[in-house]
Amino acid sequence: MMIFLGLAMVFGLVFGGFMLSGGKMDIVLYALPFEGLMIGGASIGAFIIANSTNVLRSSLRGLVKVVKGPKFKASHYEELLNLMYELARLYKAKGIIALDEHVENPKESSIFLRYPTILNDHFATELITDSFRMLSMQFDDKYQTEDVINRKIKKHHRETLASAAAIQTMADGLPAIGIVAAVLGVIKTMSSIDQPPEVLGTMIGGALVGTFLGVFLAYCMVQPISGRLRQIEDEDGAFYLIIRDIFVALVANHPPNICVEIGRGNIPSTKQPDFYMVEAAQKELPTL
C-alpha cells in the first residue's frame, strides 16, 4: 500500500508548501472543477481514441495491480519448484507417456490440483503443458527449446506491458492538455479585459491552474503509476522465466533436483527460498 503513502506525501507537501508560503487555495479550488473537467475529459477521451478495447481493459486491471502489487509471492515460487519437480521426476521415472494425463488435462491432474495458484494462471499452465508437449513430439534440442519458450514469454510480456505504455503516453500528453485548458482560460480573461485588475488577476490565476494541473497529474500521479505498473509486470514476468530454465535443464538431461536447483538460483532474491527449504519440501511430496 505504499502508493497511498506516496499520494499523501505528494498532496500534503505540494499543497501544504503552497499554503505555508502564503498561497491561497480559494482560487485553486474555484478553478479546479472546471479545469479538471477539461483536462480529465480530454485526456481520458484521447486515451480511449488511442487504444483498443483490450488495452483499455488491461489498463483498468493495471490500476488494481498497482494497488495490490505483484501477483507472485515467495510462496508461489515454492509451489512452482515443487510442481516442476514432480513433473520432471515423473518424466524421468516413467517417460513422457506417463505425463499425458497431466499435460492434456491439467484441470483434472492430481499433480496440478495440488498447486491451484499456478493452475489458475492460464499462461503459466499453458507454458508448462506446451513445453512437455514439445518434448513428446521429440522436440528435444535444448537451444531450440529455449528459443521457442523465450518467444512465447516475450510475446506475453509485450502484451502485458501494453497497458503501462498506454498510461505512459497519457502522462506524456497531460502537460500539453493542461496548456490547452490554460489557453482557454486566457481567452476567457481577454474577453473581460474591461474588468478591474483584481478580477483579471483572479481569472489569470484560474487559467494557470490548468497548466499546473496538467503537469501535476502527469509527473506526480500518472507517470509514477505507469512506472510502477511496468515494475510489477517485470517482476511477475520473472515467474515464467523459472519455468523456462527448469524445462531447458530437463531437456539437457539433468536430474529433477538439479533442474529445480537451476530454476531456484534464478528466482528474484527477495522471493528466493533457500536450498534446504526446497530440499525439505521435495522430501514431503507424494512418492511415485
Side-chain angles (χ1 to χ4, degrees), residues 32 39 85 119 134 160 179 231 268:
L32 192 60
I39 295 171
Y85 177 77
L119 186 60
M134 286 194 300
T160 58
I179 292 174
Q231 286 181 352

Side-chain angles (χ1 to χ4, degrees), residues 79-88 90 98-133 239 243 247 285-286:
E79 288 188 17
L80 177 62
L81 295 180
N82 289 338
L83 169 61
M84 295 301 292
Y85 177 77
E86 285 204 65
L87 294 173
L90 182 61
L99 285 173
D100 279 353
E101 61 179 294
H102 305 287
V103 170
E104 298 303 328
N105 198 359
K107 291 184 178 180
E108 295 183 6
S109 162
S110 58
I111 294 179
F112 276 94
L113 287 173
R114 283 196 283 274
Y115 310 98
T117 302
I118 299 172
L119 186 60
N120 291 333
D121 187 289
H122 176 73
F123 181 69
T125 302
E126 187 178 71
L127 188 63
I128 294 170
T129 55
D130 284 353
S131 298
F132 278 103
R133 285 193 189 99
F239 189 82
I243 297 174
F247 189 79
L285 293 173

Side-chain angles (χ1 to χ4, degrees), residues 88-257:
R89 182 182 61 176
L90 182 61
Y91 167 70
K92 285 291 187 179
K94 299 185 178 181
I96 193 65
I97 302 299
L99 285 173
D100 279 353
E101 61 179 294
H102 305 287
V103 170
E104 298 303 328
N105 198 359
K107 291 184 178 180
E108 295 183 6
S109 162
S110 58
I111 294 179
F112 276 94
L113 287 173
R114 283 196 283 274
Y115 310 98
T117 302
I118 299 172
L119 186 60
N120 291 333
D121 187 289
H122 176 73
F123 181 69
T125 302
E126 187 178 71
L127 188 63
I128 294 170
T129 55
D130 284 353
S131 298
F132 278 103
R133 285 193 189 99
M134 286 194 300
L135 198 57
S136 69
M137 293 184 288
Q138 306 301 315
F139 193 84
D140 55 0
D141 182 284
K142 62 180 181 180
Y143 300 109
Q144 292 182 357
T145 297
E146 183 174 7
D147 182 61
V148 169
I149 297 176
N150 273 335
R151 289 174 185 271
K152 291 181 180 180
I153 293 174
K154 286 180 180 179
K155 173 191 171 185
H156 179 265
H157 196 52
R158 183 173 63 249
E159 291 172 350
T160 58
L161 287 178
S163 55
I167 295 173
Q168 178 60 50
T169 301
M170 183 181 185
D172 293 340
L174 269 168
I177 295 174
I179 292 174
V180 170
V183 170
L184 289 175
V186 172
I187 292 172
K188 185 182 73 171
T189 302
M190 295 304 294
S191 66
S192 304
I193 198 67
D194 57 339
Q195 298 297 315
E198 59 270 18
V199 174
L200 292 176
T202 300
M203 296 179 71
I204 292 173
L208 290 176
V209 170
T211 302
F212 159 76
L213 190 59
V215 175
F216 177 77
L217 290 175
Y219 297 114
C220 295
M221 293 188 68
V222 180
Q223 189 176 71
I225 287 173
S226 172
R228 179 57 182 146
L229 180 57
R230 181 178 292 274
Q231 286 181 352
I232 290 172
E233 296 296 1
D234 287 339
E235 286 184 47
D236 284 343
F239 189 82
Y240 308 116
L241 298 177
I242 306 307
I243 297 174
R244 177 203 64 189
D245 294 339
I246 294 175
F247 189 79
V248 171
L250 180 64
V251 173
N253 207 32
H254 292 299
N257 59 332

Side-chain angles (χ1 to χ4, degrees), residues 45-74:
F47 188 77
I48 293 173
I49 292 170
N51 296 289
S52 66
T53 303
N54 288 335
V55 174
L56 294 176
R57 289 174 179 168
S58 66
S59 298
L60 291 175
R61 292 193 295 269
L63 296 178
V64 177
K65 286 184 179 181
V66 170
V67 175
K68 296 175 67 176
K71 174 170 59 174
F72 297 116
K73 314 299 182 186

